Amino acid sequence: RVDYLFETETVEDQEDTVRECKPFFVNLKELGKTEIAHLRGVGLMHPQSSSTSSNADDESICLLYEKHAQYMSRAFGTISSSFVSLDASRPWMLYWTLHGCDLLGDLPNVETLNGIVSTLQACWDHASNDSGGFGGGPGQMAHCAPTYAAVLCLGIIATSEGLSEEVATRAYKFLEKIRKPLLKWYLTLQEPNGAYRMHLDGEIDVRATYTIVCVAKLLNIMNEQHLVSDTVVNFVRDCQTFEGGFGGEPGSEAHGGYTFCAVAALHIMGRLDEADIPALRGWLVRRQMTYEGGFQGRCNKLVDGCYSFWQGGAIAIVSTIRLEGDPWLESTELPPLLCVERLLQRYILLCAQDVNGGLRDKPSKPRDFYHSCYNLSGLSVSQHCGKLAYGHPASSLVAKTHPCFNIRIDRAEKILRHFASPD
Amino acid sequence: MATTTMTMMLTVAEIPLLFSDITPIPQDDGPHPVCQIDYKRDFVTAYDTMRAILKADERSERALRLTALCVKLNPANYTVWHFRRVCLIELGLTEERVEQDLALAAELGGSNPKNYQIAFHRRALMEALGLDDEKARRELGYIATILKEDGKNYHMWSSRQWLIRTAGLPALWEEEISFVNDMIAEDCRNNSAWNQRWFAVHQGTRDALTEDVARQEADYAIEIAQIDPYNESPWRYLIGIVRENDSLVDHYEQAAADVKTVLVEADRDAEACANLNSARIDLLEIKGSTGSIEEALELCKSMSAEHDTIRRKYWDLRASELETNLSTTN
C-alpha cells in the first residue's frame, strides 16, 4: 500500500496507520449476517439499506448524531479532573462542543445556553481601561484563542432566537458591549512587522492574525484604524513556504492548521490573491491521503481527522479565488472542490467515528471534543461546498458551516448583518 | 537538575505556612457555570493562592515558587507562565535563574512535547538575557535531544529557527546545514528537516540563492530523490530551488527524468511514481517551450487517468491551464 524503495521511520509510521485503518474500510458485500447486524445495532449502518446493491457501501453508513451530541454535551456539565490540562482552554471546549452540536442540529437547552453566556462572561479579562479580551478561564489573561472561541459561542447563541429570545438578546448585548474593548486590546497586540501576538508579551504566529480578523469581521471592527494593513497582510504572506503551504511564522514548515489560518485570514481581508495560489493549491491537494482518504497536516506525516477541516476548509476557500464577496453567503454556485469528497467523507464516517459517541484523529486515538468539532466541520465543508458523496443520503448530512468563520452560515449572515448597521 | 527544580517548586503542603498571610481567592465561574472541571483538592489550593498573588501582583520569591507548582499542575496555563516571567524580571534575571528555569522547562517539556507555553518560555528567557555563542549552542544541543525523540516536533524546529536568527552568528548557519544533513540521513522523509534546510541555506531570508548554491542544492535534492523516488520531500525542495533560479530548469528537468532509471533498476513501473511525475510536470511548465508544455500536458492526463487518480480534478485543472497556455502561444 505504501510505495517506497527505502524504508525509514516515516514509512513505518505510515504503514502502521494504513494497517490500523484497513479493518474500518469494511466491504459490506463481504460481511456476514452477524457483522451486518452488529453494524446496524450500533447505528453505523442504516436499517433500511441493502448490503448487496452496487452502492451499498457508499450509501449505507450513518453519522451517529445522538451519540456524538450526547458525548459533546458532557462539556456543558462538570467534567473530570483529567481535563485539568484544558483548564486554560474552557471557551475552546465550549466552542468545540456547542458548534459540534449545532452542526448536528442539536443545540442544548436554554438553561445551558444561559450558563454558557455566564461562564464566558466570567472569562472576560479587563486588560486595562476599556480594553480586554477573553481568557482561558476566570482570572486568566486575555488571549486570542479563547477570545475567538468565546465570540463564536456568543454568536451561535445570539442567533438562536428561535430557542429563546432572552438568551439570544443577552448574548448580543454582551457582544455589543465588548466590541470596542476588543478592538483596543487587539491593537495592543500588533507588532511593527504586521504580526500579532497571542497575548500580552506572548508568542507570535499566524493563528493570532486569523483569530483577530475573524472576530473583527463578524463584529464589524475590521476596518478600524490599522487593524488590517499592508504590513499585516505581508506578514501572513511571508508565512508561505517553498512547499506552497503556510507555517506559523515566516520560515516555519508548511502545516495544515496554520495554512487554514493564513488562507482564511487573507480571504477575510480580501487579499488572498496576493498569495502564490498555484503553489498553495498544489500543496493542499497533495495533503489528501491516497489510501486513507483523510488529510495529513504536513508532507510525510500521518492522516488526522481534524485536518478534514483545516485542509478541507482551506481548499474550499481557495476554490472561490475568482469569486467576489462572500460566495458562501450569496447563493453563488460554488466551484468544484479539488479534493475527493467521497474518500474524505468515507474516512470521517468509517475511521473517525467512535461508536460510543465522539470523533477522533484516527482509530488508534481516543475521541475528544476538539476532534469531534473538526471532523464534523470538515464533513460539513465537504458536503456543502462540495457534495454528499459518501454516507446514507438521509443520515449523514450535517448543517452548513462557513469555511472561514466555522459557524453555521445562517448564523454568520445574521451576525454580520446585525453589526453592519452603525451604532 | 531534578534536585534544582524540586527546590524551585513548592509542595501543596507548604502553602498554608508560606502564604499564611494570604486569603485564597476561589475561582469565580459566574452564576451558572458550565464546563466545570472537577479539580483535585491540591489544584484548588495551589490556584486559589495563585489567584490571590496575581490580584495583589506580588512579585516575590514565594510567588515564583508558587508559579512553578502551578505550571506543573497545568503546563498550559499561559497566565501563570507570564506572571512567572514578570517575577523573574522583577527579582533580577540572572544567568543562574535562567539556567534553573530552562531546567524546569525541560523537566516539564519532556512529558508535554506539544506545549506552546514551555517552548515560548525558553525563548522569552533567552531573549531577555541575551544570546551568546555558548548559550545558543547549548540551547541548540537541548533542542537536538528533543528532536531525537520526535524528529518532527513543530515548536522545537521553530525555536531552532528563532535561535539561529537571533544569535546572529554566521557559523551557526553552516552548522545547521550539517545538522540537517544528519537528520535527513536518519530519515530522508523528514519534511521538517527539509524545511530547515531551505531556511539554513537561505539564511532565513526570502532572497533567491546564487546560481552556484542553487545547483548544489538541486544536486542534493536529486541525490536524495534517487534513494527513494516515492519520497515527496526532495522533489518539492527541488521545485522550490528551480522556481527561484529558473536558469537551472533545463538541466534539472532532465535530471528528474533520469531518476526513472532507479525505478527501472528496482523493477518498478517507472511511469507510475506520482511524486516524480508531479515534479516533472512543474519543471516542464517552468521550462515553458511548446514541446515541454505538450509533454507536461500528457503527464497531467496520465496522472489524472492512472497514476494519481485521487488528484484527478487537480490534474484536469492543470491540464486545462496548460492547454490554454499552448493555445495562446500558438
Side-chain angles (χ1 to χ4, degrees):
Chain A
R1 280 273 169 221
V2 182
D3 282 327
Y4 68 92
L5 276 195
F6 185 77
E7 191 168 20
T8 66
E9 191 175 333
T10 298
V11 172
E12 285 168 15
D13 290 344
Q14 178 57 26
E15 294 204 302
D16 286 344
T17 303
V18 165
R19 242 190 310 268
E20 92 180 45
C21 291
K22 196 154 188 260
F24 290 86
F25 290 132
V26 285
N27 185 341
L28 295 181
K29 299 181 198 71
E30 288 173 9
L31 291 181
K33 281 203 165 79
T34 342
E35 290 157 305
I36 302 249
H38 170 73
L39 286 180
R40 290 210 168 115
V42 295
L44 262 184
M45 192 170 155
H46 199 272
Q48 270 120 45
S49 65
S50 154
S51 62
T52 53
S53 82
S54 58
N55 286 328
D57 287 2
D58 289 11
E59 291 174 3
S60 307
I61 303 296
C62 303
L63 183 64
L64 305 173
Y65 297 87
E66 290 83 23
K67 294 252 169 73
H68 299 324
Q70 227 169 50
Y71 169 70
M72 287 188 285
S73 31
R74 293 178 183 196
F76 307 137
T78 303
I79 51 183
S80 98
S81 57
S82 62
F83 280 92
V84 96
S85 57
L86 286 171
D87 188 40
S89 299
R90 285 170 65 207
W92 265 131
M93 285 196 276
L94 288 171
Y95 163 70
W96 295 330
T97 53
L98 188 64
H99 173 60
C101 286
D102 204 20
L103 290 177
L104 298 173
D106 199 348
L107 276 192
N109 62 31
V110 175
E111 192 191 338
T112 302
L113 295 180
N114 264 308
I116 295 175
V117 176
S118 302
T119 306
L120 291 173
Q121 286 175 326
C123 294
W124 178 260
D125 172 48
H126 292 282
S128 70
N129 291 343
D130 5 285
S131 94
F134 292 91
Q140 296 179 31
M141 274 169 71
H143 187 297
C144 284
T147 298
Y148 163 83
V151 168
L152 292 184
C153 273
L154 289 166
I156 292 171
I157 297 172
T159 54
S160 65
E161 70 281 358
L163 283 180
S164 158
E165 190 77 52
E166 204 187 315
V167 72
T169 307
R170 241 188 109 203
Y172 260 136
K173 280 200 154 36
F174 191 55
L175 286 173
E176 284 157 14
K177 188 172 164 198
I178 61 177
R179 269 176 88 237
K180 297 239 162 92
L182 277 173
L183 171 64
K184 210 168 168 215
W185 173 61
Y186 281 152
L187 290 168
T188 66
L189 298 174
Q190 199 182 104
E191 291 287 303
N193 68 348
Y196 276 102
R197 290 191 183 271
M198 294 295 288
H199 61 85
L200 173 69
D201 295 332
E203 72 269 26
I204 287 173
D205 71 55
V206 81
R207 290 175 306 150
T209 313
Y210 166 67
T211 54
I212 291 174
V213 306
C214 181
V215 166
K217 175 73 182 180
L218 286 170
L219 301 185
N220 192 13
I221 49 175
M222 202 177 80
N223 299 316
E224 302 286 329
Q225 302 185 51
H226 52 96
L227 197 73
V228 171
S229 66
D230 288 349
T231 28
V232 169
V233 170
N234 286 334
F235 170 77
V236 180
R237 292 172 66 212
D238 280 350
C239 291
Q240 188 167 23
T241 78
F242 69 92
E243 290 188 73
F246 291 75
E249 306 168 70
S252 292
E253 188 184 1
H255 178 294
Y258 296 118
T259 297
F260 171 80
C261 289
V263 169
L266 287 173
H267 178 90
I268 291 170
M269 296 189 285
R271 314 275 293 258
L272 183 56
D273 55 350
E274 291 174 40
D276 181 344
I277 301 298
L280 172 61
R281 233 178 25 187
W283 183 83
L284 282 169
V285 298
R286 289 193 298 274
R287 304 286 66 82
Q288 188 168 22
M289 307 300 279
T290 312
Y291 177 74
E292 303 93 306
F295 287 101
Q296 66 187 174
R298 301 182 250 169
C299 176
N300 273 324
K301 290 210 80 185
L302 304 175
V303 72
D304 178 336
C306 70
Y307 293 113
S308 308
F309 180 74
W310 303 126
Q311 306 285 31
I315 286 178
I317 298 170
V318 173
S319 73
T320 66
I321 188 82
R322 284 189 229 292
L323 302 176
E324 298 277 315
D326 185 326
W328 306 283
L329 295 189
E330 286 133 44
S331 301
T332 343
E333 194 180 310
L334 294 172
L337 295 184
L338 288 179
C339 54
V340 179
E341 295 96 323
R342 181 181 165 270
L343 293 176
L344 174 65
Q345 291 164 10
R346 183 171 166 257
Y347 180 78
I348 295 169
L349 292 175
L350 291 181
C351 296
Q353 289 197 93
D354 181 325
V355 295
N356 297 310
L359 295 100
R360 59 202 174 195
D361 163 347
K362 50 173 71 70
S364 60
K365 298 284 170 73
R367 62 190 176 174
D368 61 49
F369 298 139
Y370 165 84
H371 283 93
S372 301
C373 172
Y374 290 106
N375 268 296
L376 291 172
S377 302
L379 186 63
S380 172
V381 169
S382 135
Q383 289 175 346
H384 296 283
C385 300
K387 58 180 192 205
L388 185 85
Y390 191 89
H392 193 282
S395 278
S396 60
L397 255 185
V398 288
K400 186 173 175 182
T401 197
H402 192 292
C404 293
F405 310 117
N406 202 18
I407 53 175
R408 279 172 38 167
I409 49 152
D410 53 323
R411 302 197 188 285
E413 187 177 33
K414 286 184 183 148
I415 297 165
L416 288 166
R417 230 183 312 128
H418 181 95
F419 290 103
S421 24
D423 19 16
Chain B
M1 280 298 135
T3 329
T4 321
T5 58
M6 262 154 58
T7 55
M8 289 164 77
M9 217 173 280
L10 291 175
T11 59
V12 176
E14 295 174 75
I15 290 179
L17 203 59
L18 196 60
F19 294 90
S20 55
D21 55 314
I22 295 283
T23 310
I25 300 178
Q27 180 163 288
D28 181 7
D29 281 316
H32 302 107
V34 292
C35 197
Q36 277 200 301
I37 298 169
D38 188 18
Y39 306 115
K40 296 215 158 90
R41 198 139 50 112
D42 284 359
F43 188 92
V44 175
T45 307
Y47 271 87
D48 284 357
T49 312
M50 189 75 248
R51 258 180 287 279
I53 295 293
L54 282 167
K55 183 157 187 223
D57 198 13
E58 182 192 307
R59 308 175 187 189
S60 64
E61 281 293 344
R62 67 175 182 174
L64 195 63
R65 291 181 69 207
L66 181 60
T67 61
L69 173 60
C70 286
V71 297
K72 182 163 193 211
L73 291 168
N74 178 17
N77 193 309
Y78 58 90
T79 303
V80 177
W81 280 111
H82 177 261
F83 186 69
R84 185 174 176 81
R85 288 191 285 276
V86 162
C87 285
L88 283 169
I89 291 172
E90 180 82 18
L91 296 170
L93 197 65
T94 62
E95 285 212 22
E96 200 199 336
R97 280 202 194 276
V98 169
E99 212 150 311
Q100 285 181 338
D101 254 59
L102 291 176
L104 172 69
E107 209 179 283
L108 293 173
S111 40
N112 297 283
K114 296 197 172 174
N115 179 302
Y116 284 110
Q117 285 74 38
I118 297 172
F120 183 70
H121 188 67
R122 303 184 74 87
R123 268 204 227 192
L125 289 174
M126 286 182 292
E127 190 158 36
L129 198 64
L131 274 180
D132 61 29
D133 201 353
E134 194 203 330
K135 292 195 188 80
R137 288 217 157 82
R138 202 144 44 107
E139 187 65 9
L140 286 170
Y142 167 74
I143 294 174
T145 63
I146 302 289
L147 290 175
K148 250 201 152 41
E149 291 299 309
D150 173 11
K152 302 181 184 181
N153 185 312
Y154 199 87
H155 301 313
M156 286 296 112
W157 281 109
S158 289
S159 288
R160 268 189 99 81
Q161 291 196 357
W162 173 84
L163 255 176
I164 294 168
R165 263 195 229 273
T166 312
L169 299 159
L172 290 182
W173 295 104
E174 273 303 313
E175 288 170 29
E176 192 64 2
I177 297 178
S178 205
F179 180 75
V180 164
N181 280 341
D182 291 344
M183 295 295 286
I184 292 177
E186 169 108 13
D187 182 348
C188 57
R189 288 176 185 238
N190 185 334
N191 197 66
S192 308
W194 283 96
N195 181 74
Q196 192 73 351
R197 192 184 179 88
W198 182 277
F199 168 80
V201 143
H202 286 79
Q203 305 211 346
T205 70
R206 290 182 93 79
D207 302 331
L209 300 173
T210 62
E211 202 179 293
D212 285 341
V213 177
R215 278 184 196 281
Q216 277 172 37
E217 291 304 296
D219 285 339
Y220 178 81
I222 292 283
E223 187 190 318
I224 305 296
Q226 284 167 333
I227 295 173
D228 188 345
Y230 297 102
N231 177 8
E232 185 180 336
S233 298
W235 291 117
R236 303 323 306 173
Y237 190 81
L238 176 68
I239 299 306
I241 296 290
V242 173
R243 281 178 102 209
E244 250 185 11
N245 256 290
D246 59 16
S247 60
L248 267 54
V249 76
D250 288 345
H251 177 90
Y252 289 97
E253 190 278 302
Q254 187 56 54
D258 291 344
V259 175
K260 288 200 276 183
T261 50
V262 172
L263 294 167
V264 173
E265 279 161 18
D267 229 354
R268 306 291 182 96
D269 182 350
E271 307 309 315
C273 179
N275 286 321
L276 189 161
N277 294 342
S278 174
R280 289 199 61 218
I281 290 168
D282 289 345
L283 290 167
L284 289 164
E285 192 175 17
I286 294 169
K287 211 168 158 183
S289 65
T290 307
S292 305
I293 303 290
E294 281 168 354
E295 201 179 347
L297 184 55
E298 284 315 300
L299 277 169
C300 284
K301 289 177 180 169
S302 71
M303 289 281 263
S304 167
E306 272 186 87
H307 305 308
D308 197 19
T309 57
I310 192 172
R311 277 165 270 282
R312 165 167 300 150
K313 290 187 259 185
Y314 173 71
W315 293 119
D316 290 348
L317 177 64
R318 288 290 297 274
S320 77
E321 285 172 354
L322 291 171
E323 267 159 357
T324 308
N325 185 324
L326 278 176
S327 61
T328 50
T329 44
N330 285 350

